[in-house]
C-alpha cells in the first residue's frame, strides 16, 4: 500500500503543478484585460474591468489550489499524519473537477481510507 500512497503524493504534486500553471496563464489574461481597461482608446473599459477582475480572481484561486496540492503531496509521500487528512479534504473537493480531479479524488480517497493506507500514517509506538 506504500506504493499507492507514494503514487497519490506524486499525482497531487503533478495535479498541483498543472493547476498552478493554468492559474498563471489565467493571470496573464487578467493582466491583459486590465491593460485594455486602462486604455483610453477602447470603448469597453467597464467590461474589460469586470473581465480583468474575474480572471484575476479565478487565477488566484487556481494558484492557491495548486499550491495547496503541492504542499500536501510532498509530505504525503513522507507519510506525515496531517498530510493524510489534508489530502482527504482536497481529494473530496477534487471529485467535483471533472474528469482529472474526479479520478485523483477517487484514487486518493480509496488509498487513504483503505486500512493499509491508514496504517502508514499512524504514529510509531515504542
Amino acid at each position: 500500500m506504500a506504493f499507492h500512497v507514494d503514487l497519490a503524493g506524486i499525482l497531487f504534486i503533478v495535479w498541483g503543478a498543472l493547476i498552478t500553471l493554468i492559474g498563471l496563464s489565467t493571470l496573464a489574461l487578467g493582466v491583459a484585460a486590465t491593460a485594455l481597461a486602462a486604455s483610453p482608446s477602447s470603448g469597453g473599459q467597464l467590461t474589460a474591468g469586470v473581465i480583468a477582475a474575474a480572471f484575476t480572481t479565478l487565477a488566484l484561486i487556481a494558484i492557491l489550489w495548486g499550491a495547496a496540492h503541492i504542499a500536501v503531496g510532498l509530505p504525503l509521500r513522507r507519510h506525515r499524519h496531517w498530510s493524510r487528512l489534508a489530502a482527504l479534504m482536497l481529494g473530496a473537493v477534487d471529485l467535483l473537477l471533472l474528469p482529472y480531479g474526479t479520478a485523483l479524488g477517487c484514487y486518493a480517497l480509496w488509498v487513504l481510507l483503505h486500512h493499509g493506507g491508514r496504517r502508514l500514517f499512524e504514529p510509531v509506538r515504542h
Side-chain angles (χ1 to χ4, degrees):
M1 194 49 108
F3 167 77
H4 289 290
V5 172
D6 288 342
L7 181 59
I10 291 169
L11 292 174
F12 265 81
I13 294 166
V14 169
W15 178 247
L18 290 173
I19 294 295
T20 302
L21 192 62
I22 290 169
L24 291 172
S25 64
T26 305
L27 186 61
L29 292 173
V31 169
T34 302
L36 282 176
S39 171
S41 63
S42 74
Q45 283 96 3
L46 177 63
T47 305
V50 170
I51 290 173
F55 277 150
T56 303
T57 302
L58 290 174
L60 293 176
I61 291 170
I63 291 168
L64 290 173
W65 189 249
H69 279 77
I70 294 169
V72 168
L74 293 170
L76 187 65
R77 297 193 66 219
R78 294 183 192 106
H79 305 158
R80 302 285 190 255
H81 178 71
W82 65 269
S83 66
R84 177 182 172 267
L85 300 174
L88 285 170
M89 288 187 289
L90 290 174
V93 177
D94 280 338
L95 291 172
L96 301 173
L97 302 173
L98 295 169
Y100 302 111
T102 304
L104 175 62
C106 287
Y107 185 68
L109 292 175
W110 174 73
V111 167
L112 298 173
L113 291 175
H114 190 271
H115 180 68
R118 277 194 313 239
R119 203 173 39 223
L120 289 172
F121 292 92
E122 290 177 356
V124 178
R125 299 172 207 252
H126 297 285

